[in-house]
Amino acid sequence: MASRESQLTATLLTSILAAVFGSLQIGYHTGNVNAPARIIEEFFNVTWRSRHNQSMPDHSLTFLWSLSVSIKDFGALLGSLGVKCLADSYGRRNSILIVNALSVVGACLMFSSKASESFEVLIVGRLVFGLFCGLVMSLNPLYIQEVSPTNLRGAFATLNQVSFATGILLGMLAGLETVLGTEESWAMMLSLSLIPALLQYLSLPFCPESPRYLLINRGEESQAENALLRLRGRSDKVFTELEEMKEEAARTQTGVTIKEFFMKRSYRQPIIIVLIVNLGSQLSGFNAIINYSTKMFNQSRMDEAKYLTLGVGAVNVTFTLVAFFLMERAGRRKLLLTGFISLAACNLLMTITDSLLFMVPELCSLQVLVVFFLISAYELGPGPISWFIAAELFDQPSRPTAMAFTSMLNWGGKFLLALLFPPLLKVCGAYVYLLFMTVAIVAFTFTWLRLPETKGRTFDDIAAEFRGAEGIPLHNKTGFNTFT
């Protein structure tokens, strides 16, 4: 325990907290459109009526609202494409500062949509903000993992998800009718993400750049040493870590192209792992609950549906904190397995309760509990780990590309679910949750067979295992301690 405490410096904590202001903004704009959905839909309708002297058709309004919710995720998918270029050209810290400008522009557009009487401005604002989402949710874990000591790397990376979940809860709170989710104040509510954006600009410039980027990517050993000294506070820690980085630098090529990333044999296993874990995480039902929980509870004729949605946000934050404390104890693998099998069980229960709800209305309380358990299962492992596992499975030259790939999978999955869940729910009814259950079971099975434990291992150690494991099933490699 003493060795852990010795690595917790004020600079390290400040750097991580300054970075996660970005994910706080993303969470806020994920949670704040849920409760006031009807008010913003009415704004769409009023705007349409003022232009065309008639109400917007119901199917058009449904599509436009689905588009408004999902366009952020589509923007994030596009933004993911810029991760490698920014991270390698400007560094991890500077890239986070650069893309923060997109958040500011997006929030300003969303705020001005009401005054300009244009729902198109709101949609464009969410698209611009989405570009920020796709970039920062890859840049954050990249920066956090590269500045963190090995034995705290996973826990600190989980703070990105804690901040994201906290933002969702704050967004849900701000969206309540009793707070800012009113016809008069909803535009102001959409602008509040400017506060953490400003706080990031006031704090992150004073934090060090990633030492790994400075040494391995830029070859600036003295600057890397200075950055490490600020982060670790002890010269003996700096010397050991610097030597590890030099050894890694000697074994890695200077850069990896997109084509090389997908063609190199030693990257194939980690690419498949990242693909299954991320799609399994995003298509397992969590995003449907987060985006549409208020409507779901309303359809179940539950009183105070908006406050139940607030409960969803509170459970979300609670279990990201649980994951934070368990990450370096239980490890990534056990938390993922527990999360995926629990998600599968929750989706099966959602199917049963939703099917019987009209015959047995008393089941609505059980459905609320199942929703809470589903959120808990997601945040216990799949939620936080899916965002940072790629950074642990790949070496330094390929890490930005791997994180861009992660971001594309995550946001692509969110976009598809946000866009397709309402029509799927109409077509399949309660049985839509069986699709989520199937995805969770596939992800559980693959994780059980293929995912190595990365807890407490250096980046070079993990990369070396993959270099030596070309063509060899990873679960047979004793060095990975896969089943311990």
Side-chain angles (χ1 to χ4, degrees), residues 335-348:
L335 291 179
L336 274 176
L337 289 171
T338 304
F340 280 134
I341 198 66
S342 301
L343 281 168
C346 288
N347 277 301
L348 179 60

Side-chain angles (χ1 to χ4, degrees), residues 77-95:
L77 185 61
L78 295 178
S80 306
L81 301 173
V83 172
K84 175 178 166 55
C85 180
L86 274 171
D88 284 344
S89 301
Y90 300 101
R92 285 43 167 160
R93 182 203 61 182
N94 291 342
S95 294

Side-chain angles (χ1 to χ4, degrees), residues 194-261:
L194 291 170
I195 296 170
L198 178 62
L199 289 173
Q200 187 167 69
Y201 276 131
L202 293 174
S203 55
L204 195 57
F206 302 100
C207 302
E209 178 56 89
S210 157
R212 306 185 71 83
Y213 170 77
L214 292 170
L215 180 68
I216 301 175
N217 293 74
R218 308 283 295 180
E220 297 171 350
E221 186 177 333
S222 60
Q223 290 190 33
E225 189 174 349
N226 290 336
L228 262 181
L229 193 58
R230 288 182 64 195
L231 289 163
R232 302 290 179 263
R234 283 173 49 181
S235 55
D236 57 327
K237 296 283 182 188
V238 170
F239 177 78
T240 306
E241 207 166 329
L242 208 59
E243 288 304 308
E244 285 176 5
M245 281 192 262
K246 286 179 185 176
E247 288 176 19
E248 182 180 349
R251 276 194 288 269
T252 56
Q253 59 196 90
T254 52
V256 174
T257 65
I258 304 291
K259 183 180 179 182
E260 287 170 341
F261 177 81

Side-chain angles (χ1 to χ4, degrees), residues 129-151:
F129 187 81
L131 295 172
F132 163 77
C133 296
L135 289 159
V136 89
M137 283 301 276
S138 287
L139 293 168
N140 273 4
L142 194 59
Y143 177 70
I144 291 169
Q145 291 222 318
E146 290 188 5
V147 299
S148 301
T150 300
N151 65 332

Side-chain angles (χ1 to χ4, degrees), residues 372-426:
F372 286 175
F373 278 123
L374 188 147
I375 299 293
S376 308
Y378 175 84
E379 293 296 8
L380 191 63
I385 295 170
S386 62
W387 283 106
F388 72 76
I389 192 68
E392 296 191 322
L393 297 178
F394 290 86
D395 56 18
Q396 185 75 10
S398 62
R399 196 169 293 129
T401 306
M403 292 307 292
F405 183 54
T406 291
S407 193
M408 288 180 70
L409 291 171
N410 270 315
W411 291 111
K414 285 177 188 288
F415 171 67
L416 281 174
L417 208 54
L419 195 61
L420 297 179
F421 180 68
L424 274 174
L425 194 59
K426 283 184 179 178

Side-chain angles (χ1 to χ4, degrees), residues 21 27 32 49 107 116 122 130 133 145 167 196 207 232 250 275 289 291 323 363 399 421 426 437-438 454 464 472 480:
F21 278 129
N32 66 8
R49 201 179 299 126
S116 62
L122 175 62
C133 296
Q145 291 222 318
C207 302
R232 302 290 179 263
L275 179 72
I289 300 290
N291 285 333
L363 281 175
R399 196 169 293 129
F421 180 68
K426 283 184 179 178
M437 182 192 77
T438 305
T454 56
I472 302 171
F480 274 123

Side-chain angles (χ1 to χ4, degrees), residues 86-221:
L86 274 171
D88 284 344
S89 301
Y90 300 101
R92 285 43 167 160
R93 182 203 61 182
N94 291 342
S95 294
I96 293 172
L97 289 167
I98 290 167
V99 302
N100 201 32
L102 289 170
S103 172
V104 173
V105 172
C108 290
L109 283 170
M110 286 184 266
F111 173 69
S112 64
S113 61
K114 184 182 179 186
S116 62
E117 297 181 350
S118 171
F119 56 77
E120 293 90 347
V121 171
L122 175 62
I123 293 170
V124 170
R126 280 184 67 83
L127 176 65
V128 172
F129 187 81
L131 295 172
F132 163 77
C133 296
L135 289 159
V136 89
M137 283 301 276
S138 287
L139 293 168
N140 273 4
L142 194 59
Y143 177 70
I144 291 169
Q145 291 222 318
E146 290 188 5
V147 299
S148 301
T150 300
N151 65 332
L152 295 173
R153 194 177 63 215
F156 282 161
T158 305
L159 281 178
N160 197 51
Q161 189 75 6
V162 172
S163 181
F164 177 67
T166 303
I168 291 176
L169 180 59
L170 290 173
M172 288 176 169
L173 274 168
L176 291 174
E177 280 181 337
T178 49
V179 189
L180 293 172
T182 62
E183 192 176 340
E184 296 78 26
S185 304
W186 64 263
M188 181 189 292
M189 176 202 69
L190 295 178
S191 71
L192 292 184
S193 61
L194 291 170
I195 296 170
L198 178 62
L199 289 173
Q200 187 167 69
Y201 276 131
L202 293 174
S203 55
L204 195 57
F206 302 100
C207 302
E209 178 56 89
S210 157
R212 306 185 71 83
Y213 170 77
L214 292 170
L215 180 68
I216 301 175
N217 293 74
R218 308 283 295 180
E220 297 171 350
E221 186 177 333

